[in-house]
Amino acid sequence: MKPFLAAIPFIVGIFMNAQENYIQINGSTNINTFKCTNTTFRTPGGNFMISEKNLPNIALKVDDFDCHNKIMTSDFQKTLLAEDHPYLHIKFISLDRNKAVYNAQIEVKMINRSKIYNITLCLENGKLTGRKSVKFSDFDISPPKRMGGMIVVKDDLNLVFALAANTQ
């Protein structure tokens, strides 16, 4: 019994490390909401080293997003044309620091279409977190429909992310 109890902090540490970086895309339909999350991307040192001269460029495999529903995940991947465009990219263009608040300019690229956004980020407990409202239509993507148009995905999405980060 004692070896098992001794392993609990190790197991919890592994789980917490696995959850440090994530990108989440939240959206809704005319009847429900959805959340598609990618937690599989890593940086070699464990944390993103962020400074004005060293900004992250994140490539997310579309097939690694999980919408917690097999049909929804499949629809999400089809909507983003995962077979032809397997990656969604988030590139930091600039980052200005004001204490624990950062103002960033990011480029989001889906299906070979890019859009630049300004976003405010916060640094808390070694994580750089932020959120930004985006739209399918920003990338010339038509929101999907199901059941002959009875279920319609709304154009508005909320991009949320957390990056384990060391800032300078």
Side-chain angles (χ1 to χ4, degrees), residues 17 32 46-47 65 69 74 84 88-89 101 107 120 141 162 164 166:
N17 264 346
N32 207 350
N47 287 356
F65 278 90
N69 173 305
S74 176
D84 296 327
L88 181 153
H89 296 270
V101 176
E107 176 184 36
T120 301
I141 299 171
N166 291 332

Side-chain angles (χ1 to χ4, degrees), residues 89-158:
H89 296 270
I90 299 175
K91 179 181 179 181
F92 282 70
I93 297 169
S94 66
L95 186 70
D96 296 317
R97 181 179 183 177
N98 184 3
K99 297 185 182 179
V101 176
Y102 295 78
N103 293 309
Q105 189 173 59
I106 62 171
E107 176 184 36
V108 178
K109 183 177 180 184
M110 285 191 258
I111 311 177
N112 283 339
R113 291 175 186 91
S114 296
K115 179 83 176 174
I116 295 176
Y117 298 99
N118 292 317
I119 185 169
T120 301
L121 307 166
C122 294
L123 182 64
E124 295 179 50
N125 302 321
K127 285 190 183 189
L128 199 56
T129 60
R131 64 179 56 232
K132 184 66 182 173
S133 294
V134 300
K135 295 178 180 281
F136 278 115
S137 59
D138 290 346
F139 303 93
D140 296 326
I141 299 171
S142 297
K145 298 176 184 176
R146 300 270 304 154
M147 296 178 62
M150 290 179 61
I151 301 174
V152 179
V153 175
K154 295 181 180 174
D155 193 30
D156 298 312
L157 300 169
N158 193 4

Side-chain angles (χ1 to χ4, degrees), residues 5 10 12 15 25 35 56 60 73 93 96 100 119 133 137 148 165:
L5 292 176
F10 177 74
V12 170
F15 179 75
I25 298 174
K35 183 185 311 186
L60 302 163
T73 298
I93 297 169
D96 296 317
I119 185 169
S133 294
S137 59

